[in-house]
Coordinates of all heavy atoms in Angstrom, one line a residue:
N1 N 196.6 -6.1 121.4 CA 197.4 -5.1 120.9 C 197.8 -5.4 119.6 O 198.5 -6.3 119.4 CB 198.6 -4.9 122.0 CG 199.5 -3.6 121.7 OD1 199.0 -2.8 120.7 ND2 200.5 -3.5 122.3
T2 N 197.5 -4.6 118.6 CA 197.9 -4.7 117.3 C 198.8 -3.6 116.8 O 198.6 -2.4 117.1 CB 196.7 -4.9 116.4 OG1 195.8 -5.9 116.8 CG2 197.0 -5.2 114.9
I3 N 199.9 -3.9 116.1 CA 200.6 -3.0 115.4 C 200.6 -3.2 114.0 O 200.9 -4.2 113.4 CB 202.2 -3.2 115.9 CG1 202.3 -3.0 117.3 CG2 203.1 -2.2 115.1 CD1 203.7 -3.4 118.0
D4 N 200.3 -2.1 113.2 CA 200.1 -2.2 111.7 C 201.1 -1.4 111.1 O 201.6 -0.3 111.6 CB 198.7 -1.6 111.2 CG 197.6 -2.4 111.6 OD1 197.4 -3.5 111.0 OD2 196.9 -2.0 112.5
Y5 N 201.6 -1.9 109.9 CA 202.7 -1.1 109.1 C 202.1 -0.8 107.8 O 201.3 -1.5 107.3 CB 203.9 -2.1 108.9 CG 204.7 -2.4 110.0 CD1 204.5 -3.4 110.9 CD2 205.9 -1.4 110.4 CE1 205.2 -3.6 112.0 CE2 206.6 -1.6 111.5 CZ 206.3 -2.7 112.3 OH 207.0 -2.9 113.5
L6 N 202.3 0.4 107.4 CA 201.7 0.9 106.1 C 202.3 -0.1 105.0 O 203.4 -0.4 105.0 CB 202.2 2.3 105.8 CG 201.5 3.4 106.6 CD1 202.2 4.8 106.4 CD2 199.9 3.4 106.5
P7 N 201.5 -0.3 104.1 CA 201.9 -1.2 102.9 C 203.0 -0.5 102.2 O 203.2 0.8 102.1 CB 200.8 -1.3 102.0 CG 199.6 -1.0 102.8 CD 200.0 0.0 103.9
Q8 N 204.1 -1.3 101.8 CA 205.3 -0.8 101.1 C 205.5 -1.8 99.8 O 205.7 -2.9 100.1 CB 206.5 -0.7 102.0 CG 207.7 0.0 101.5 CD 208.7 0.1 102.4 OE1 209.2 -0.9 103.0 NE2 209.1 1.2 102.8
N9 N 205.4 -1.3 98.6 CA 205.6 -2.0 97.5 C 204.7 -3.3 97.4 O 205.2 -4.3 97.0 CB 207.1 -2.5 97.3 CG 208.1 -1.3 97.2 OD1 207.7 -0.3 96.6 ND2 209.2 -1.4 97.8
G10 N 203.5 -3.1 97.8 CA 202.5 -4.2 97.8 C 202.7 -5.2 98.9 O 202.0 -6.2 98.7
V11 N 203.4 -4.9 100.0 CA 203.7 -5.8 101.1 C 203.0 -5.2 102.2 O 203.4 -3.9 102.6 CB 205.0 -6.1 101.1 CG1 205.3 -7.1 102.5 CG2 205.8 -6.9 100.0
Y12 N 202.2 -5.8 103.0 CA 201.4 -5.4 104.2 C 201.9 -6.2 105.3 O 202.0 -7.4 105.2 CB 200.0 -5.4 103.9 CG 199.2 -5.0 105.1 CD1 199.1 -3.8 105.8 CD2 198.4 -6.1 105.7 CE1 198.4 -3.5 106.8 CE2 197.6 -5.8 106.9 CZ 197.7 -4.6 107.4 OH 196.9 -4.3 108.5
A13 N 202.1 -5.6 106.5 CA 202.4 -6.4 107.6 C 201.7 -5.8 108.9 O 201.5 -4.6 109.0 CB 203.9 -6.4 107.8
Y14 N 201.5 -6.8 109.8 CA 201.0 -6.3 111.1 C 201.4 -7.5 112.1 O 201.6 -8.6 111.8 CB 199.5 -6.3 111.1 CG 198.7 -7.4 110.8 CD1 198.2 -8.2 111.8 CD2 198.4 -7.8 109.4 CE1 197.4 -9.4 111.5 CE2 197.7 -8.9 109.2 CZ 197.0 -9.7 110.2 OH 196.5 -10.8 110.0
A15 N 201.3 -7.0 113.4 CA 201.6 -8.0 114.5 C 200.4 -7.9 115.5 O 199.9 -6.7 115.8 CB 202.9 -7.6 115.1
R16 N 200.3 -8.9 116.2 CA 199.2 -9.0 117.2 C 200.0 -9.6 118.4 O 200.5 -10.7 118.4 CB 198.2 -9.9 116.8 CG 197.0 -10.1 117.8 CD 196.1 -8.9 117.7 NE 195.1 -9.3 118.8 CZ 194.2 -8.4 119.1 NH1 194.1 -7.3 118.4 NH2 193.3 -8.8 119.9
K17 N 199.9 -8.9 119.6 CA 200.5 -9.3 120.8 C 199.3 -9.7 121.8 O 198.3 -8.8 121.9 CB 201.3 -8.3 121.4 CG 202.6 -8.0 120.7 CD 203.6 -7.0 121.4 CE 204.8 -6.9 120.5 NZ 205.9 -6.3 121.4
A18 N 199.4 -10.7 122.5 CA 198.5 -11.2 123.4 C 199.3 -11.9 124.6 O 199.9 -12.9 124.4 CB 197.5 -12.2 122.9
G19 N 199.3 -11.2 125.8 CA 200.2 -11.7 126.9 C 201.6 -11.8 126.5 O 202.3 -10.8 126.0
N20 N 202.3 -13.0 126.5 CA 203.6 -13.1 126.2 C 203.8 -13.7 124.9 O 204.9 -14.2 124.4 CB 204.4 -13.9 127.3 CG 203.8 -15.3 127.4 OD1 202.8 -15.6 126.8 ND2 204.5 -16.1 128.2
E21 N 202.8 -13.8 124.0 CA 202.8 -14.3 122.5 C 202.6 -13.3 121.6 O 201.8 -12.3 121.7 CB 201.7 -15.4 122.5 CG 201.9 -16.6 123.2 CD 200.8 -17.7 123.0 OE1 200.1 -17.6 122.0 OE2 200.9 -18.7 123.7
T22 N 203.4 -13.2 120.6 CA 203.3 -12.5 119.5 C 203.3 -13.2 118.2 O 204.1 -14.1 117.8 CB 204.6 -11.4 119.5 OG1 204.7 -10.6 120.6 CG2 204.4 -10.4 118.3
V23 N 202.3 -12.8 117.3 CA 202.1 -13.4 116.0 C 202.4 -12.2 115.0 O 201.7 -11.1 115.1 CB 200.8 -14.0 115.7 CG1 200.7 -14.5 114.3 CG2 200.7 -15.2 116.6
F24 N 203.2 -12.4 114.0 CA 203.5 -11.5 112.9 C 203.1 -11.9 111.7 O 203.4 -13.1 111.2 CB 205.0 -11.2 112.9 CG 205.5 -10.1 112.0 CD1 205.3 -8.8 112.1 CD2 206.2 -10.5 110.7 CE1 205.7 -7.9 111.1 CE2 206.5 -9.7 109.7 CZ 206.4 -8.3 110.0
C25 N 202.4 -11.2 111.0 CA 201.8 -11.6 109.6 C 202.4 -10.6 108.4 O 202.3 -9.3 108.7 CB 200.3 -11.6 109.6 SG 199.5 -12.6 110.7
I26 N 202.8 -11.1 107.5 CA 203.3 -10.4 106.3 C 202.7 -10.8 105.1 O 202.8 -12.2 104.8 CB 204.9 -10.3 106.3 CG1 205.3 -9.3 105.3 CG2 205.5 -11.6 106.2 CD1 206.8 -8.8 105.5
L27 N 202.2 -10.0 104.2 CA 201.3 -10.4 103.1 C 201.9 -9.7 101.8 O 201.9 -8.6 101.9 CB 199.8 -10.1 103.2 CG 199.0 -10.2 102.0 CD1 198.9 -11.7 101.6 CD2 197.6 -9.6 102.3
N28 N 202.3 -10.5 100.9 CA 202.8 -9.9 99.6 C 201.5 -10.0 98.6 O 201.2 -11.1 98.2 CB 203.9 -10.7 98.9 CG 204.3 -10.2 97.6 OD1 203.8 -9.4 97.0 ND2 205.3 -10.9 97.0
Q29 N 200.9 -8.9 98.3 CA 199.7 -8.9 97.5 C 200.0 -8.7 95.9 O 199.0 -8.8 95.2 CB 198.9 -7.6 98.0 CG 198.5 -7.6 99.3 CD 197.8 -6.4 99.8 OE1 197.4 -5.7 99.1 NE2 197.7 -6.2 101.1
T30 N 201.2 -8.7 95.6 CA 201.6 -8.6 94.2 C 201.8 -9.9 93.5 O 201.7 -11.0 94.1 CB 202.9 -7.8 94.1 OG1 204.0 -8.6 94.4 CG2 202.8 -6.5 94.9
K31 N 202.1 -9.8 92.2 CA 202.3 -11.0 91.5 C 203.8 -11.3 91.2 O 204.2 -12.0 90.2 CB 201.6 -10.9 90.1 CG 200.1 -10.9 90.1 CD 199.3 -10.8 88.9 CE 197.9 -10.9 89.2 NZ 197.1 -10.7 87.9
E32 N 204.6 -10.6 92.1 CA 206.1 -10.7 92.0 C 206.7 -11.1 93.4 O 206.1 -10.7 94.4 CB 206.6 -9.4 91.5 CG 206.2 -8.9 90.2 CD 206.8 -7.6 89.9 OE1 207.3 -6.9 90.8 OE2 206.7 -7.1 88.7
T33 N 207.7 -11.7 93.4 CA 208.3 -12.0 94.7 C 209.1 -10.7 95.1 O 209.4 -9.8 94.3 CB 209.6 -13.0 94.5 OG1 209.1 -14.2 94.1 CG2 210.4 -13.2 95.8
K34 N 208.8 -10.4 96.4 CA 209.1 -9.1 97.0 C 210.4 -9.4 98.1 O 210.2 -10.3 98.7 CB 208.0 -8.4 97.6 CG 207.1 -7.9 96.6 CD 207.6 -6.8 95.8 CE 206.6 -6.3 94.9 NZ 206.9 -5.1 94.1
T35 N 211.3 -8.6 98.0 CA 212.3 -8.6 99.1 C 212.0 -7.6 100.2 O 211.7 -6.3 99.9 CB 213.7 -8.3 98.5 OG1 214.0 -9.2 97.4 CG2 214.8 -8.3 99.6
V36 N 212.0 -8.0 101.4 CA 211.7 -7.1 102.5 C 212.9 -7.1 103.5 O 213.5 -8.2 103.7 CB 210.4 -7.3 103.3 CG1 209.3 -7.2 102.4 CG2 210.4 -8.8 103.9
D37 N 213.2 -6.1 104.2 CA 214.2 -6.0 105.2 C 213.6 -6.1 106.5 O 212.8 -5.3 106.9 CB 215.0 -4.7 105.1 CG 216.2 -4.6 105.9 OD1 216.4 -5.4 106.8 OD2 217.0 -3.7 105.6
A38 N 214.0 -7.1 107.3 CA 213.5 -7.4 108.6 C 213.7 -6.2 109.5 O 212.9 -6.1 110.5 CB 214.1 -8.7 109.2
D39 N 214.7 -5.4 109.2 CA 215.0 -4.2 110.1 C 213.8 -3.2 110.2 O 213.6 -2.6 111.1 CB 216.1 -3.5 109.5 CG 217.2 -3.3 110.6 OD1 217.3 -4.0 111.5 OD2 218.1 -2.3 110.4
R40 N 212.9 -3.3 109.1 CA 211.8 -2.4 109.1 C 210.8 -2.7 110.3 O 210.1 -2.0 110.8 CB 211.1 -2.6 107.8 CG 209.8 -1.7 107.8 CD 209.2 -1.5 106.3 NE 208.3 -0.5 106.2 CZ 206.9 -0.7 105.9 NH1 206.6 -2.0 105.6 NH2 206.1 0.3 106.0
Y41 N 210.9 -3.9 110.7 CA 209.9 -4.5 111.8 C 210.6 -4.7 113.1 O 210.1 -5.3 114.0 CB 209.3 -5.7 111.3 CG 208.8 -5.7 109.9 CD1 209.4 -6.2 108.8 CD2 207.7 -4.9 109.6 CE1 208.9 -6.1 107.6 CE2 207.1 -4.9 108.3 CZ 207.9 -5.4 107.2 OH 207.4 -5.2 106.0
K42 N 211.8 -3.9 113.4 CA 212.5 -4.1 114.6 C 211.7 -3.7 115.9 O 211.9 -4.3 116.9 CB 213.9 -3.4 114.5 CG 213.8 -1.9 114.5 CD 215.1 -1.3 114.2 CE 214.9 0.2 113.9 NZ 216.3 0.8 113.7
Q43 N 210.7 -2.9 115.7 CA 209.8 -2.5 116.9 C 209.2 -3.8 117.5 O 209.0 -4.1 118.6 CB 208.8 -1.6 116.5 CG 207.7 -1.2 117.6 CD 206.7 -0.3 117.1 OE1 206.5 0.1 115.9 NE2 205.8 0.1 117.8
V44 N 208.6 -4.6 116.5 CA 208.0 -5.9 116.9 C 208.9 -7.0 117.2 O 208.7 -7.7 118.1 CB 207.1 -6.4 115.7 CG1 206.5 -7.7 116.0 CG2 205.9 -5.4 115.3
F45 N 210.1 -7.1 116.5 CA 211.1 -8.2 116.8 C 211.9 -8.0 117.9 O 212.7 -8.9 118.3 CB 211.9 -8.3 115.4 CG 211.2 -8.7 114.2 CD1 211.7 -8.6 112.9 CD2 209.9 -9.3 114.2 CE1 211.1 -9.0 111.7 CE2 209.2 -9.6 113.0 CZ 209.8 -9.4 112.0
S46 N 211.9 -6.8 118.5 CA 212.7 -6.5 119.7 C 212.5 -7.6 120.8 O 211.4 -7.9 121.1 CB 212.5 -5.3 120.3 OG 213.2 -4.8 121.3
G47 N 213.6 -8.2 121.3 CA 213.5 -9.3 122.2 C 213.3 -10.7 121.8 O 213.3 -11.7 122.5
Y48 N 213.1 -10.8 120.4 CA 213.0 -12.2 119.7 C 214.1 -12.3 118.8 O 214.7 -11.4 118.3 CB 211.6 -12.1 119.0 CG 210.4 -12.1 119.8 CD1 209.8 -10.9 119.8 CD2 209.9 -13.1 120.5 CE1 208.6 -10.6 120.5 CE2 208.7 -12.9 121.3 CZ 208.1 -11.8 121.3 OH 206.9 -11.5 122.1
K49 N 214.5 -13.6 118.5 CA 215.6 -13.9 117.6 C 215.1 -14.7 116.4 O 215.7 -14.5 115.3 CB 216.7 -14.8 118.3 CG 217.4 -14.1 119.5 CD 218.6 -14.9 120.0 CE 219.1 -14.2 121.2 NZ 220.0 -13.2 121.1
N50 N 214.0 -15.4 116.6 CA 213.6 -16.2 115.3 C 212.0 -16.3 115.4 O 211.5 -15.9 116.3 CB 214.3 -17.5 115.2 CG 214.2 -18.4 116.5 OD1 213.1 -18.6 117.0 ND2 215.3 -18.7 117.1
A51 N 211.5 -16.9 114.3 CA 210.3 -17.2 114.2 C 209.9 -18.5 113.6 O 210.7 -19.0 112.7 CB 209.4 -16.1 113.5
T52 N 208.7 -19.0 113.7 CA 208.2 -20.2 112.9 C 207.0 -19.9 112.2 O 206.0 -19.4 112.8 CB 208.0 -21.4 113.8 OG1 209.2 -21.7 114.6 CG2 207.6 -22.7 113.1
D53 N 206.8 -20.2 110.9 CA 205.6 -20.0 110.2 C 204.6 -21.1 110.7 O 205.0 -22.3 110.6 CB 205.9 -20.2 108.6 CG 204.6 -20.0 107.8 OD1 203.5 -20.1 108.2 OD2 204.8 -19.4 106.7
I54 N 203.5 -20.6 111.2 CA 202.6 -21.6 111.8 C 201.7 -22.5 110.8 O 201.3 -23.4 111.2 CB 201.6 -20.9 112.7 CG1 200.6 -20.0 112.1 CG2 202.3 -20.2 113.9 CD1 199.5 -19.4 113.0
V55 N 202.0 -22.1 109.5 CA 201.3 -22.8 108.4 C 202.0 -24.0 108.0 O 201.6 -25.2 107.8 CB 200.9 -21.8 107.3 CG1 200.3 -22.7 106.1 CG2 200.0 -20.8 107.7
N56 N 203.3 -23.8 107.7 CA 204.2 -24.8 107.1 C 205.4 -25.3 107.9 O 206.2 -26.1 107.7 CB 204.7 -24.5 105.7 CG 205.5 -23.2 105.8 OD1 206.0 -22.7 106.7 ND2 205.4 -22.6 104.6
G57 N 205.7 -24.5 109.2 CA 206.7 -24.9 110.0 C 208.1 -24.3 109.7 O 209.2 -24.6 110.3
N58 N 208.2 -23.6 108.5 CA 209.4 -23.0 108.2 C 210.0 -22.0 109.2 O 209.2 -21.3 109.9 CB 209.3 -22.2 106.9 CG 209.2 -23.0 105.7 OD1 209.4 -24.3 105.7 ND2 208.6 -22.5 104.6
F59 N 211.3 -22.0 109.3 CA 212.0 -21.3 110.4 C 212.6 -19.9 109.7 O 213.1 -20.0 108.6 CB 213.2 -22.1 110.9 CG 214.1 -21.4 111.8 CD1 213.7 -21.4 113.2 CD2 215.2 -20.8 111.4 CE1 214.7 -20.6 114.1 CE2 216.1 -20.2 112.4 CZ 215.7 -20.1 113.7
F60 N 212.4 -18.9 110.5 CA 212.9 -17.6 110.1 C 213.8 -16.9 111.1 O 213.3 -16.9 112.2 CB 211.7 -16.6 109.7 CG 211.0 -16.9 108.5 CD1 210.1 -17.9 108.5 CD2 211.3 -16.3 107.3 CE1 209.3 -18.1 107.4 CE2 210.6 -16.7 106.1 CZ 209.6 -17.6 106.2
E61 N 215.0 -16.5 110.7 CA 215.8 -15.6 111.6 C 215.2 -14.2 111.4 O 215.0 -13.6 110.3 CB 217.3 -15.5 111.3 CG 217.9 -17.0 111.7 CD 219.4 -16.8 111.5 OE1 219.9 -17.0 110.3 OE2 220.1 -16.5 112.6
L62 N 215.1 -13.4 112.5 CA 214.5 -12.2 112.4 C 215.5 -11.1 112.1 O 215.7 -10.0 112.9 CB 213.7 -11.8 113.7 CG 212.6 -12.7 114.1 CD1 212.0 -12.5 115.4 CD2 211.5 -12.8 113.0
K63 N 216.2 -11.2 111.1 CA 217.3 -10.3 110.7 C 217.5 -10.5 109.1 O 217.0 -11.4 108.6 CB 218.5 -10.5 111.4 CG 219.1 -11.8 111.1 CD 220.5 -12.0 112.0 CE 221.2 -13.4 111.7 NZ 222.3 -13.6 112.5
G64 N 218.1 -9.5 108.6 CA 218.5 -9.7 107.1 C 217.3 -9.4 106.2 O 216.3 -8.7 106.6
E65 N 217.4 -9.9 105.1 CA 216.3 -9.7 104.0 C 215.6 -11.0 103.8 O 216.2 -12.0 103.9 CB 216.9 -9.3 102.6 CG 217.5 -7.8 102.8 CD 218.0 -7.4 101.3 OE1 218.3 -8.2 100.5 OE2 218.0 -6.1 101.2
W66 N 214.3 -10.9 103.5 CA 213.5 -12.1 103.4 C 212.8 -12.0 101.9 O 212.6 -10.9 101.3 CB 212.3 -12.2 104.3 CG 212.6 -12.3 105.7 CD1 213.9 -12.6 106.2 CD2 211.8 -12.1 106.7 NE1 213.7 -12.6 107.6 CE2 212.5 -12.3 108.0 CE3 210.4 -11.9 106.9 CZ2 211.9 -12.3 109.2 CZ3 209.8 -11.8 108.1 CH2 210.6 -12.1 109.3
Q67 N 212.7 -13.0 101.2 CA 212.0 -13.2 99.9 C 210.5 -13.6 100.2 O 210.5 -14.7 100.8 CB 212.6 -14.1 99.0 CG 214.1 -13.8 98.7 CD 214.1 -12.6 97.9 OE1 213.4 -12.4 96.9 NE2 215.1 -11.6 98.3
I68 N 209.6 -12.8 99.9 CA 208.2 -13.2 100.1 C 207.6 -13.5 98.6 O 207.5 -12.5 97.9 CB 207.4 -12.0 100.7 CG1 208.1 -11.4 101.9 CG2 206.0 -12.5 100.9 CD1 208.3 -12.4 103.1
P69 N 207.2 -14.8 98.5 CA 206.7 -15.2 97.1 C 205.4 -14.4 96.9 O 204.6 -13.9 97.7 CB 206.3 -16.7 97.4 CG 207.2 -17.1 98.5 CD 207.3 -15.9 99.4
P70 N 205.0 -14.4 95.5 CA 203.9 -13.6 95.1 C 202.6 -14.2 95.8 O 202.3 -15.3 96.0 CB 203.7 -13.9 93.6 CG 205.0 -14.4 93.2 CD 205.7 -15.0 94.5
Q71 N 201.6 -13.2 96.2 CA 200.4 -13.4 96.7 C 200.4 -14.6 97.8 O 199.6 -15.6 97.7 CB 199.4 -13.9 95.6 CG 199.2 -12.8 94.5 CD 198.4 -13.2 93.4 OE1 198.4 -14.4 93.0 NE2 197.8 -12.3 92.8
T72 N 201.4 -14.3 98.8 CA 201.6 -15.3 99.9 C 201.5 -14.4 101.1 O 201.8 -13.3 101.3 CB 202.9 -15.8 99.7 OG1 203.2 -16.6 98.6 CG2 203.5 -16.7 100.8
I73 N 200.9 -15.1 102.1 CA 201.0 -14.7 103.6 C 201.9 -15.5 104.5 O 201.8 -16.8 104.4 CB 199.5 -14.4 104.2 CG1 199.8 -13.8 105.5 CG2 198.9 -15.8 104.3 CD1 198.3 -13.2 106.1
L74 N 202.8 -14.9 105.2 CA 203.4 -15.6 106.2 C 202.8 -15.3 107.6 O 202.6 -14.1 107.9 CB 204.9 -15.2 106.2 CG 205.7 -15.4 104.9 CD1 207.2 -14.9 105.1 CD2 205.8 -16.8 104.5
I75 N 202.5 -16.4 108.4 CA 202.1 -16.1 109.6 C 203.1 -16.6 110.7 O 203.3 -17.9 110.7 CB 200.7 -16.8 110.0 CG1 199.6 -16.4 108.8 CG2 200.1 -16.5 111.3 CD1 198.3 -17.1 108.7
L76 N 203.8 -15.8 111.4 CA 204.8 -16.2 112.2 C 204.7 -16.1 113.7 O 204.2 -15.0 114.1 CB 206.2 -15.4 111.7 CG 206.5 -15.3 110.2 CD1 207.6 -14.3 110.0 CD2 206.8 -16.7 109.8
A77 N 205.1 -17.1 114.3 CA 205.1 -17.1 115.8 C 206.4 -16.8 116.3 O 207.4 -17.5 115.9 CB 204.6 -18.5 116.3
L78 N 206.6 -15.5 116.8 CA 207.8 -15.1 117.3 C 208.4 -15.8 118.6 O 207.5 -16.1 119.4 CB 207.9 -13.4 117.6 CG 207.3 -12.7 116.4 CD1 207.5 -11.2 116.7 CD2 208.0 -13.0 115.1
K79 N 209.7 -16.1 118.6 CA 210.2 -16.9 119.7 C 211.5 -16.2 120.0 O 212.3 -15.7 119.3 CB 210.5 -18.3 119.2 CG 209.2 -19.1 119.0 CD 209.5 -20.4 118.5 CE 208.3 -21.0 118.1 NZ 208.1 -22.5 118.0

């Protein structure tokens, strides 16, 4: 099951659910840091409190605003 979000200001996001696991990917395709509001993705984040970037282990709370560096993808395992 995949949930896609329309790109907004050069930022594209989608989530993939399989069983009881959810992975959320967010990609900043621009050459500037972008701020995104986690509230936009509340449909996917419902029932979860945080996430871990599976590439580098960084921890994210699934609320507030996030800074997405230029030309970066975050691949988050929701928990």
Side-chain angles (χ1 to χ4, degrees):
N1 185 9
T2 302
I3 299 169
D4 288 289
Y5 289 87
L6 290 174
Q8 188 175 60
N9 298 323
V11 177
Y12 171 68
Y14 65 94
R16 178 83 181 177
K17 293 185 176 198
N20 61 352
E21 295 185 5
T22 301
V23 174
F24 179 76
C25 300
I26 187 163
L27 171 65
N28 177 0
Q29 301 175 16
T30 73
K31 294 182 180 180
E32 302 173 346
T33 297
K34 295 291 183 175
T35 301
V36 296
D37 188 342
D39 235 20
R40 180 168 191 239
Y41 311 107
K42 62 185 173 186
Q43 174 188 3
V44 172
F45 295 166
S46 178
Y48 298 100
K49 294 189 187 277
N50 54 56
T52 303
D53 187 328
I54 64 170
V55 174
N56 59 26
N58 288 344
F59 176 84
F60 289 83
E61 287 188 274
L62 301 177
K63 63 182 181 178
E65 293 184 336
W66 298 349
Q67 299 292 313
I68 311 295
Q71 299 177 330
T72 298
I73 187 168
L74 302 177
I75 303 171
L76 307 177
L78 304 187
K79 299 181 180 197

